[in-house]
Every structure is written in structure tokens, then in C-alpha cells.
Amino acid sequence: MKPVQIQFVAPRAWKVIWAITAALLIALSSSTGWRLWEQQQLRRGLQSEIEQLQAKLKAQSASKSPEFDLRHASEQTAMRLLQRDWNRVFDAVESDALAQALLVQMSIDGVTGEIRLEYELESFVQASAVTAALNASGTMTVWQLERVSSVPLQADFPAGKSRGVWSSKGP
């Protein structure tokens, strides 16, 4: 038998293929790594911007005036109205000089403190007498005649009667 000599030599074509594949994988991984690094930097920048905007928003909301509490405002208005001296107003309304005029309505505006009186009068001439009687009561409030009207067509409004409205800034 003849001796057989075998030489194991790796084919060189595979070395080139593996070298090109390795170079492509290194290029692909470095490109992917670079893009990931850029995305991370962008994310950090956006996160810091969001934090700055949230801090600004907190500062603005903290400096805003508090919400208007309707219940508290109503309580404060009631307390302010209860602390006024209403005797002067009722002294003016209940004076003897106003016995001929009939008080129909009295309204008080809690915010402005304005008082409105509506009297039923016998005639337009009586309006000046009511104004003089209201102002002569010594209450230190000035009553102003706003209007005098006569509407004889209504069922609850007697013919020949008129109504006058006076206002004052209150006590």
C-alpha cells in the first residue's frame, strides 16, 4: 500500500468572506451605537426641557391668586351687612312724614351696599315730599329719587296711583 499524504489546508475564500462579514458587523454595530448615543443625548435634552417647563408652570401656579370661594365671599358679605347700623335706615323709612306713602319694596345690594325703596304715591307731586322726608330724617344718608312711574293698566296697580323709586348708598 502506498502511503497517502493529506495536507489539511483551509480554503482561503472563506477567510475573505469571514473578514468582510466581520467588517460589516463592526460597521453596523458602530453605526447603531452612534445612533443610540445620539438618541440618548436627545432624550436627556428633552427631559431637562420638560423639567424646566414644569418648574415654570409650578412657579406660575403658585403665584396665581387663589380661587374665588363663593361661599366665603357670601359669608363675608353677610358679616359686613350685619355689622352696619340699620336703625338709621329704618328710622328714615318709618318716619311720620311718610304716613301718606305706602312702602311697597325695600331691597339691599350686599356687594355695593345700595338701598332701594319703592313707594306707592297718590300723585307725582308727593314724590318731592317723600324725598324731603327721607332726607330730613337726620340719618346722614342721602336719598335720591330715581324715577316716578304711573301704570294704570295693571290689575294690582290702582288708577291714579304712581310709584317712585329712591336709592341711597346705605349706612
Side-chain angles (χ1 to χ4, degrees):
M1 207 171 184
K2 270 182 151 182
V4 178
Q5 287 189 348
I6 301 176
Q7 289 185 349
F8 292 99
V9 176
R12 294 188 181 217
W14 283 107
K15 282 185 180 181
V16 172
I17 292 173
W18 283 113
I20 291 174
T21 304
L24 286 175
L25 286 175
I26 289 173
L28 182 65
S29 63
S30 64
S31 172
T32 304
W34 179 259
R35 287 187 182 158
L36 286 174
W37 182 79
E38 284 180 337
Q39 290 296 324
Q40 187 180 17
Q41 295 300 320
L42 182 64
R43 187 179 308 132
R44 284 183 186 163
L46 290 175
Q47 187 64 34
S48 68
E49 226 176 296
I50 287 172
E51 289 171 359
Q52 288 174 356
L53 289 174
Q54 286 176 344
K56 272 186 186 179
L57 186 61
K58 274 187 180 179
Q60 286 177 351
S61 66
S63 67
K64 278 186 182 177
S65 62
E67 293 290 327
F68 183 71
D69 185 13
L70 187 60
R71 182 175 185 173
H72 180 68
S74 176
E75 289 173 356
Q76 291 297 321
T77 303
M79 290 297 294
R80 199 171 49 246
L81 286 173
L82 288 173
Q83 290 174 354
R84 291 187 177 168
D85 184 17
W86 293 104
N87 289 328
R88 294 186 290 168
V89 175
F90 288 114
D91 287 344
V93 172
E94 296 171 351
S95 72
D96 293 333
L98 296 173
Q100 300 87 4
L102 175 65
L103 180 63
V104 177
Q105 181 179 5
M106 178 177 174
S107 61
I108 301 166
D109 186 359
V111 177
T112 62
E114 184 179 24
I115 303 168
R116 298 174 71 89
L117 302 174
E118 184 174 347
Y119 280 98
E120 186 174 292
L121 309 170
E122 296 294 326
S123 65
F124 285 108
V125 178
Q126 192 181 6
S128 61
V130 170
T131 304
L134 286 171
N135 288 325
S137 63
T139 60
M140 297 175 26
T141 57
V142 177
W143 293 95
Q144 295 179 347
L145 176 63
E146 287 188 1
R147 69 179 179 274
V148 177
S149 60
S150 176
V151 185
L153 299 177
Q154 295 179 355
D156 63 339
F157 207 80
K161 302 275 183 164
S162 57
R163 288 202 177 170
V165 178
W166 284 263
S167 67
S168 174
K169 290 297 177 188

